Amino acid sequence: MTKVKITIDGHDLEVEQGTNLIEAARQLGKTIPHYCYHPGLPPDGNCRMCLVQVEKMPKPVIGCRTGATEGMVVHTQSDEVKKMRQSIMEFLLINHPLDCPTCDQAGECRLQDYYMDYDRIPSRYQEQKVHKDKMVDLGAGVMLDEERCIVCTRCVRVCQEVAKSEELFVQERGNHSMVATFPGKKMTNPYAGNTVDVCPVGALTSKDFRYKKRVWFLSAADSVCQGCSRGCNISVHHADNRVYRLKPRHNPEVNDYWMCDYGRIDYKFVNDGRRLKPHFKTDAGLQEDSYQNAFAHLQSVLQNYSADQITGIASAQESNEEINAFVDFIKSNFGSLPIYFSKNNPENPYEDDILIKADKNPNSAHIASKNLKPVSEISGGVKAVFVQRNLSAQDAQVLKDKGIQIVALFATNETNLDNLAEVILPIPTFAEQNGHFTNFEGKVQGFTKALKPRGESRLFAEHAEDIKALLSSIKKAS
Amino acid sequence: MTLVLTNRFKLKDSHTLAVYEENGGYKTIDKVFATNPDDIIEEVKQSGLRGRGGAGFPAGLKWSFIPKDPGKPKYVCVNADESEPGTFKDRYLLELDPHQLIEGIIICCYAIQSHDAYIYIRGEFDLPYRRIQAAVDEAYAKGYLGKNIFGKGYDLNIVVHRGAGAYICGEETALLESLEGKRGNPRVKPPFPATHGAFGCPTVINNVETISALPWIITNGAQNYRQWGTEKSPGTKMFSVSGHVNKPGVYEVPLGYPIKDMIQNECGGVGGTGRLKAVIPGGSSVPVLTAEEALDANLDYESLMEKGTFLGSGGIIVIDDSVDMLWALRNLGHFYSHESCGQCTPCREGTGWVSKILDRIYHEGGTQADLDLLNEIADNMSGKTICALADALAMPVRSYLKKFPEDFARHIKKTA
């Protein structure tokens, strides 16, 4: 690509020829305000907020669709540009309902932000506002408030470009224009949640998140989606040691700006249905109890087996670190039998050629690198197993058929193995630890801790220390 | 008077192929196909023919921007979406001489070496649609369209495409979007249709009147065409005159013709009260002229530019002194806010706002601040949008307020 020299507000810089002026200004750390432009979507040029002045051009030009050419001199802070921004803000707000107190977007709304930055004058609008429907269910968990919409068409374009779907369009004209689905139809594409992300105002909100939390109380942790082997980069938005929503995080090599709707709701297990304390099996059923009593029970169970009858089943749902710790633990304490793995293995998994992979495990690649065997190949010598996280229904059936005992299950949540395991020890979910997943392309991606480990859950390594102590006391006794 | 475009209008069954051919029609075809396409473009350039849709862009120059060998089809689109208030000339060309248009299309297509043309016709046009479609069918039947037209070894298809009732689809890029089956929103330019037009291919878009002038120009030569008009506005133009005149209608006159003569001679003088108040010279979107300005103005591109307005589409609206200019402007406000496509913020919101303020002043009375606000909104709308629709309301707003302040003052509430 050819490089060209341009000047923005007196600063010289070199950019690739044709770079739009919003991106060129970004290289200087400058923001040219915009609504309809999104770096992941084809530019449309409708909002006119990014109008700037370019010397030798007769009229103001839009930054999003003006490419840099050699010697271009751009002004983004002149009085005329400021006046244009103020007038665009005034136009955008005359028919806006100004219902910020009840709007879920408040706190992350471009209308609020730019009003403070570029407008700050009282309304001069005395006429009746255009009234439209405030509760339109577009489908796929997306709600539309037509009055708040500024018709920037980011959502229309995100459906076209990302989901390859023409489900959204603009109907009516002039100030009656609104985003809609076709009559009798709803959005069904599995990327619809991205429409909410790209909406710069409160027009599109998520049914799952709306009215649950004011956004300024949320903190964000960089993370990686564990819904499939793609490993989309995400932010975990959390407060009160609970996860409130997941948002995609830009990574041009993995997921660009997007994530799918399956991944987007794959946080509920962090909040609900958790195994927060140790459990063990009694005659009266599964009992919640202290670590001390759970380990006492584990000790009595382990005494029934010799070390060469015991092995472990690692999980493709866990991090590289947790898998390593588990495999090392089994190898160093038992080790004569092969070690096995299990995967989340739903029937007819959905996949497409956009983001969603059929393999619904975040870490199959790391499991593959450990030379473990699938549970279906489990040999006759195995009498008892430690199980990491969970087993697929098929794998659980294999253990049942072969009469193999689960001595301990390291679980985040209640599972179908609860009644098969002698002892259940709580471990944290991905949201409660730092770690790495290796995606289907072999990319090792780090995720960070958003929450404190919930309840009494502990990383496998901590459990392993205590179990090692237990094993040595068994050895001494025998 | 024999002129260029309307010579056959008075003939019985002028819309039929038989009458057209009996009166000089399709006589230029042999000459066209014996000429180098570039020489046709040169001839049109020499004639000085300017686009009759409103912008007045030189037609030959526009054609010369079409890439010679783009490696993909080239298209010609005829803009028959005539919808500017006060403009009704193209409908007569479509109703009364559709074969003249078809012959023009053949010339234009040959000149740029296109084999596919579209006539995008306003959806509300019923008789014009039936006439042009019948004429296209006749031409196909006779071998004047389709494969190997006139036995010249050249293929050419014409499709008549009806619009669905949006003013904005007369804007050439909105027309293309609509033609492609999309919502009729104007496109951001550049790129221009000459390189990225219909279906992403090089495209010439010209108004019905522009294309209809081609057979005469090619038959009689560019220099003959220049016998009429001025140096920069050669030839003749059709004007649709409406409002307060005794004989409203469509008149073809040489460019440069005085407005005064148009009203007095062609239109039988000012109607209504008989006292002229204002003239809109080029369709409702151009700045208005006062009576004094109008009586001193000529109908050509540069004279009207000097008066701060435009020749536009040639839709002349004559207004007598019974008209309240605020009422008239309010009417335009309704029209342009209804017809805004709604994609750009200043137009979507500005046209609606202007319209509502004018409504309020008209019904309840307003304040000086309202008038200042109208001017400011007009400024904030102009020159900041994808197409010219915002300007099409902003220009009347500013000119009406400036030139007829007394009509607005009358609606100002006395301060309490």
Side-chain angles (χ1 to χ4, degrees):
Chain A
M1 283 294 273
T2 327
K3 294 269 186 187
V4 291
K5 287 196 178 77
I6 64 169
T7 307
I8 300 179
D9 299 334
H11 299 275
D12 296 335
L13 75 158
E14 215 177 58
V15 295
E16 274 179 17
Q17 185 169 8
T19 306
N20 76 58
L21 297 182
I22 292 179
E23 296 301 335
R26 217 195 287 275
Q27 294 181 19
L28 284 175
K30 281 175 167 291
T31 302
I32 296 177
H34 54 271
Y35 289 98
C36 67
Y37 174 73
H38 185 288
L41 298 173
D44 196 70
N46 62 56
C47 77
R48 319 307 283 180
M49 191 66 188
C50 67
L51 282 168
V52 293
Q53 287 178 300
V54 174
E55 286 182 11
K56 294 180 187 150
M57 289 210 186
K59 289 202 292 188
V61 299
I62 43 175
C64 65
R65 287 189 71 158
T66 304
T69 54
E70 182 63 39
M72 195 177 248
V73 181
V74 185
H75 298 282
T76 76
Q77 297 296 329
S78 65
D79 288 346
E80 196 175 322
V81 170
K82 285 178 183 167
K83 170 117 190 6
M84 286 191 289
R85 287 176 187 160
Q86 189 178 49
S87 78
I88 299 295
M89 283 309 302
E90 181 173 46
F91 283 135
L92 286 173
L93 290 171
I94 60 174
N95 281 309
H96 188 80
L98 302 175
D99 54 350
C100 304
T102 58
C103 178
D104 235 51
Q105 191 83 0
E108 52 182 7
C109 174
R110 288 270 176 96
L111 286 172
Q112 290 183 329
D113 296 348
Y114 291 165
Y115 175 77
M116 296 303 285
D117 290 343
Y118 305 111
D119 193 6
R120 295 190 88 152
I121 55 167
S123 176
R124 299 190 288 180
Y125 190 71
Q126 299 174 41
E127 327 305 325
Q128 177 80 298
K129 287 177 190 264
V130 178
H131 290 295
K132 299 177 188 167
D133 205 335
K134 289 187 72 69
M135 293 253 275
V136 183
D137 188 341
L138 290 181
V142 178
M143 294 295 289
L144 167 64
D145 183 324
E146 291 169 351
E147 292 189 345
R148 292 178 190 156
C149 177
I150 59 166
V151 211
C152 72
T153 72
R154 275 183 173 190
C155 55
V156 176
R157 284 174 283 146
V158 97
C159 283
Q160 289 168 342
E161 295 297 318
V162 180
K164 313 292 176 207
S165 131
E166 300 282 344
E167 289 168 307
L168 290 186
F169 72 110
V170 176
Q171 67 178 15
E172 296 291 339
R173 284 195 313 232
N175 58 17
H176 294 273
S177 299
M178 54 199 151
V179 168
T181 51
F182 288 89
K185 304 266 187 186
K186 297 218 169 195
M187 261 202 300
T188 56
N189 79 70
Y191 296 90
N194 295 297
T195 62
V196 177
D197 297 338
V198 296
C199 182
V201 301
L204 297 182
T205 50
S206 149
K207 266 187 178 173
D208 182 53
F209 174 71
R210 61 201 230 126
Y211 308 137
K212 298 235 167 69
K213 199 77 180 169
R214 302 269 42 168
V215 297
W216 50 84
F217 294 123
L218 294 174
S219 304
D222 287 357
S223 191
V224 174
C225 180
Q226 45 90 65
C228 80
S229 59
R230 171 77 58 183
C232 291
N233 292 205
I234 58 171
S235 285
V236 174
H237 288 196
H238 61 94
D240 328 318
N241 216 40
R242 289 174 71 82
V243 177
Y244 279 87
R245 62 179 182 184
L246 303 181
K247 289 274 187 185
R249 188 160 54 88
H250 182 218
N251 185 335
E253 290 176 10
V254 179
N255 55 311
D256 210 359
Y257 295 88
W258 324 114
M259 72 185 293
C260 77
D261 292 352
Y262 301 107
R264 196 178 288 272
I265 56 162
D266 205 1
Y267 68 88
K268 311 238 166 184
F269 74 97
V270 176
N271 297 338
D272 303 313
R274 289 292 294 275
R275 285 281 172 231
L276 296 173
K277 286 185 164 223
H279 290 66
F280 59 89
K281 218 192 241 180
T282 68
D283 292 342
L286 203 60
Q287 184 180 314
E288 180 180 297
D289 212 320
S290 65
Y291 270 110
Q292 194 181 4
N293 292 342
F295 279 122
H297 185 82
L298 180 60
Q299 181 165 14
S300 69
V301 173
L302 285 171
Q303 273 163 350
N304 300 332
Y305 303 99
S306 59
D308 59 2
Q309 293 176 320
I310 298 175
T311 186
I313 304 174
S315 169
Q317 302 272 299
E318 289 293 302
S319 70
N320 294 0
E321 291 79 357
E322 288 284 87
I323 291 169
N324 292 347
F326 183 83
V327 170
D328 290 350
F329 166 78
I330 299 293
K331 263 188 195 154
S332 58
N333 292 287
F334 309 101
S336 59
L337 292 166
I339 303 172
Y340 297 88
F341 69 87
S342 185
K343 284 185 179 186
N344 179 17
N345 193 17
E347 273 181 47
N348 304 318
Y350 180 81
E351 70 174 319
D352 59 29
D353 53 8
I354 303 168
L355 292 177
I356 302 170
K357 304 293 289 180
D359 180 357
K360 301 305 175 193
N361 299 277
N363 218 351
S364 292
H366 191 67
I367 284 287
S369 73
K370 303 296 282 186
N371 291 319
L372 310 181
K373 288 186 167 182
V375 171
S376 57
E377 291 173 19
I378 208 158
S379 70
V382 178
K383 299 285 180 221
V385 286
F386 287 86
V387 173
Q388 191 174 30
R389 184 71 171 255
N390 201 355
L391 294 178
S392 68
Q394 304 91 302
D395 290 349
Q397 192 60 44
V398 169
L399 296 195
K400 251 195 231 170
D401 292 346
K402 300 205 166 170
I404 296 168
Q405 176 82 59
I406 300 176
V407 290
L409 169 68
F410 302 91
T412 57
N413 288 68
E414 295 164 11
T415 70
N416 59 347
L417 302 181
D418 287 350
N419 294 320
L420 301 175
E422 283 296 331
V423 176
I424 301 172
L425 297 169
I427 55 171
T429 65
F430 78 106
E432 297 144 70
Q433 58 184 297
N434 296 319
H436 294 81
F437 289 134
T438 308
N439 85 348
F440 74 107
E441 293 170 312
K443 218 176 274 300
V444 178
Q445 304 192 96
F447 56 90
T448 61
K449 186 168 165 176
L451 314 180
K452 295 197 293 278
R454 299 194 61 215
E456 295 176 19
S457 63
R458 306 189 302 182
L459 289 172
F460 179 81
E462 294 176 57
H463 290 304
E465 283 305 309
D466 288 345
I467 297 168
K468 244 187 264 175
L470 201 73
L471 290 168
S472 61
S473 72
I474 295 173
K475 230 179 253 169
K476 272 179 208 152
S478 55
Chain B
M1 182 165 45
T2 302
L3 290 168
V4 174
L5 295 154
T6 55
N7 295 332
R8 282 172 290 270
F9 277 21
K10 288 198 174 126
L11 303 174
K12 185 172 171 354
D13 293 332
S14 62
H15 58 279
T16 61
L17 180 59
V19 173
Y20 185 63
E21 290 200 289
E22 281 160 22
N23 291 277
Y26 294 118
K27 292 289 189 292
T28 182
I29 294 296
D30 284 340
K31 183 175 174 187
V32 168
F33 284 97
T35 309
N36 185 312
D38 287 346
D39 294 341
I40 304 262
I41 297 178
E42 191 51 36
E43 189 74 12
V44 174
K45 271 190 188 167
Q46 289 302 323
S47 76
L49 175 67
R50 295 172 66 166
R52 302 295 192 227
F57 194 82
L61 188 59
K62 193 183 231 184
W63 300 0
S64 68
F65 297 149
I66 298 290
K68 287 280 172 264
D69 198 7
K72 48 188 174 181
K74 296 182 256 193
Y75 294 105
V76 168
C77 287
V78 177
N79 188 344
D81 193 56
E82 180 174 62
S83 13
E84 177 78 357
T87 310
F88 43 90
K89 59 186 178 66
D90 294 341
R91 70 177 306 154
Y92 288 104
L93 288 166
L94 293 160
E95 285 175 9
L96 298 175
D97 209 348
H99 283 285
Q100 178 175 243
L101 175 63
I102 293 169
E103 190 173 356
I105 293 170
I106 295 169
I107 296 166
C108 177
C109 284
Y110 176 76
I112 68 155
Q113 292 290 295
S114 160
H115 300 279
D116 296 281
Y118 293 93
I119 300 171
Y120 186 97
I121 186 166
R122 180 177 182 183
E124 292 89 337
F125 274 0
D126 180 43
L127 183 60
Y129 165 68
R130 285 185 279 130
R131 288 270 169 89
I132 188 67
Q133 185 63 59
V136 166
D137 294 344
E138 273 184 303
Y140 268 105
K142 198 84 184 278
Y144 293 180
L145 291 175
K147 292 239 174 275
N148 189 23
I149 63 171
F150 298 93
K152 302 287 183 191
Y154 194 88
D155 299 345
L156 174 58
N157 289 304
I158 295 181
V159 174
V160 182
H161 184 99
R162 301 186 78 179
Y167 167 79
I168 192 60
C169 290
E171 197 276 350
E172 61 181 17
T173 56
L175 182 153
L176 293 175
E177 289 284 295
S178 174
L179 184 69
E180 291 177 8
K182 300 175 192 155
R183 179 183 166 86
N185 282 1
R187 296 176 182 167
V188 175
K189 286 141 283 195
F192 290 94
T195 54
H196 295 78
F199 312 103
C201 298
T203 302
V204 159
I205 307 171
N206 274 132
N207 178 260
V208 169
E209 188 185 345
T210 318
I211 298 286
S212 293
L214 297 172
W216 195 100
I217 291 171
I218 299 302
T219 305
N220 299 286
Q223 286 317 310
N224 266 327
Y225 188 67
R226 285 184 169 272
Q227 70 180 281
W228 298 292
T230 66
E231 173 62 29
K232 286 182 177 158
S233 304
T236 67
K237 164 112 186 77
M238 290 166 71
F239 290 89
S240 5
V241 190
S242 63
H244 294 120
V245 287
N246 290 319
K247 281 164 56 189
V250 173
Y251 301 97
E252 183 185 6
V253 294
L255 283 161
Y257 198 65
I259 292 183
K260 187 170 61 180
D261 291 355
M262 176 66 96
I263 295 174
Q264 286 308 326
N265 303 344
E266 268 68 21
C267 301
V270 178
T273 65
R275 291 182 298 273
L276 185 67
K277 178 172 187 170
V279 173
I280 302 170
S284 64
S285 61
V286 305
V288 69
L289 296 174
T290 62
E292 196 183 334
E293 289 170 323
L295 293 174
D296 184 37
N298 295 338
L299 291 166
D300 59 80
Y301 296 97
E302 57 279 12
S303 301
L304 289 172
M305 287 278 271
E306 277 171 28
K307 299 276 179 205
T309 185
F310 303 102
L311 185 73
S313 60
I316 299 174
I317 303 173
V318 179
I319 297 171
D320 78 6
D321 68 354
S322 70
V323 173
D324 175 355
M325 294 304 279
L326 184 142
W327 174 86
L329 184 59
R330 177 175 158 259
N331 193 7
L332 293 186
H334 286 186
F335 179 79
Y336 288 106
S337 63
H338 182 66
E339 296 295 345
S340 165
C341 82
Q343 66 173 332
C344 306
T345 307
C347 179
R348 177 181 69 239
E349 303 296 341
T351 54
W353 194 5
V354 164
S355 177
K356 284 176 179 176
I357 293 173
L358 290 168
D359 274 351
R360 178 165 54 77
I361 300 175
Y362 184 73
H363 289 297
E364 301 166 22
T367 62
Q368 183 57 43
D370 288 327
L371 305 185
D372 296 343
L373 183 57
L374 282 170
N375 265 321
E376 203 177 324
I377 297 170
D379 286 345
N380 290 342
M381 284 160 64
S382 308
K384 302 183 179 65
T385 48
I386 291 172
C387 80
L389 195 142
D391 293 88
L393 180 57
M395 289 190 294
V397 166
R398 284 189 295 232
S399 64
Y400 287 45
L401 279 162
K402 185 175 160 208
K403 294 182 180 178
F404 301 96
E406 63 286 354
D407 280 11
F408 291 85
R410 207 180 314 139
H411 292 273
I412 297 298
K413 282 185 276 196
K414 298 280 174 281
T415 42

